[in-house]
Amino acid sequence: MLMCISHSQDFLCPTRIPQYGLPVYKKDIDLLQFSENLEFLEAEYYLWATHGYGLDIVAPELVMGGPPPIGVHRANLDLFTRNIITEFAMQEVGHLRALKSKMGGFPRPLMDLSANHFAKLFDEAFGYKLEPPFDPYRDSLNFMLSCYALPYAALVGYVGMNPLIKGYETKRLLAGLLGVESGQDAIIRMYLYERAGKVVYPYKHTVAEFTIHISNLRNRLAMCGTKEEGLFVPWQLGAENLTTTNILSADIDSLSQRRTPAEILRIVYNTGNEHARGGFFPHGANGNIARKFLKLY
């Protein structure tokens, strides 16, 4: 009976394989492996914030001997927020496993997830030193503000890769990753939108103002125009020029924005230069694409 059920399922839900082309092309591997840097970043940040430990405990086979992140620790999260981030954390573990099993992998890069690094990042976003320094681990709202840009970096990176990859297996993997990263981004933005008018203690800025400043900083670092927007925009930038709310950030046709690996590195290095390491990756990101940029500097 089990054999009949299995056969019936295969008949009703066949796995379609294109008649032409390869499952994975060589160029596909470098592009998808590049995204492992962002998946490592999200996985470690979410795991540590919710569990107080990271990949070395949850999935040590994925780190491949890479160094543990700097300055990361458990966050003071309420149950509602902790449940969201716990699910995100486990999803990122799955993403890394899928990427490494299909594209191969590299050792976990050194990452700076310290409160001090986030404080410098938010100071730069606002253009002055926040007092006290911004601490993402302080409470749920601070943590979600710090998460605001993480899935979006992966999202726009996957959209940018899409026209460049050829393999049918690679395309399927990218589509699966993009779908979940988009969902994470939407949940974080909706979480913050529901609190848009709330003043972030002890500062004098609202949640909406935080998102606008962070997005503006990332646009400046990437140096390729406006590809990221806060929770509110002028109506000229809203959907069909008719809205000022911006729960989902998109282009003039309400399509997802896209970024190149160089743009993403300028942002995550916080240097505005894909050749100059720093920010979240003090020693630089890993993979052929990222290491090539460093060698050219």
Side-chain angles (χ1 to χ4, degrees), residues 164-181:
L164 303 177
I165 61 173
K166 295 181 179 180
Y168 58 80
E169 190 63 40
T170 317
K171 289 180 179 179
R172 183 179 182 278
L173 175 60
L174 184 145
L177 293 165
L178 178 58
V180 175
E181 293 293 339

Side-chain angles (χ1 to χ4, degrees), residues 85-103:
I85 302 303
T86 297
E87 183 173 340
F88 286 4
M90 297 309 166
Q91 289 170 347
E92 298 307 324
V93 174
H95 289 180
L96 279 170
R97 184 174 289 110
L99 281 163
K100 287 180 180 290
S101 66
K102 296 179 184 298
M103 299 292 121

Side-chain angles (χ1 to χ4, degrees), residues 46 84-85 88 144-145 147-151 183-193 231:
Y46 297 156
I84 294 173
I85 302 303
F88 286 4
M144 292 300 270
L145 282 168
C147 291
Y148 169 72
L150 295 185
Q184 291 180 357
D185 180 61
I187 289 171
I188 291 172
R189 291 181 72 99
M190 190 63 203
Y191 180 105
L192 295 174
Y193 179 75
L231 294 175

Side-chain angles (χ1 to χ4, degrees), residues 40-104:
F40 268 124
L41 186 67
E42 293 177 276
E44 291 289 11
Y45 193 42
Y46 297 156
L47 283 170
W48 274 94
T50 54
H51 293 72
Y53 51 79
L55 288 169
D56 288 302
I57 299 297
V58 175
E61 72 281 2
L62 297 178
V63 306
M64 298 175 65
I70 299 170
V72 65
H73 58 83
R74 191 165 186 163
N76 181 31
L77 305 178
D78 59 50
L79 181 60
F80 177 77
T81 308
R82 186 176 303 281
N83 286 342
I84 294 173
I85 302 303
T86 297
E87 183 173 340
F88 286 4
M90 297 309 166
Q91 289 170 347
E92 298 307 324
V93 174
H95 289 180
L96 279 170
R97 184 174 289 110
L99 281 163
K100 287 180 180 290
S101 66
K102 296 179 184 298
M103 299 292 121

Side-chain angles (χ1 to χ4, degrees), residues 2 12 23 39-40 66 71 123 131 140 153 177 195 211 245 255 280:
L2 289 174
L12 293 173
E39 301 290 355
F40 268 124
D123 287 350
E131 289 292 346
S140 296
L177 293 165
R195 298 157 177 80
T211 66
T245 58
L255 303 177
F280 286 110

Side-chain angles (χ1 to χ4, degrees), residues 198-219:
K198 180 181 176 61
V199 174
V200 181
Y201 181 82
Y203 314 108
K204 297 180 180 180
H205 301 286
T206 65
V207 168
E209 289 172 325
F210 265 80
T211 66
I212 292 168
H213 282 286
I214 296 168
S215 291
N216 288 343
L217 170 63
R218 293 165 72 83
N219 287 327

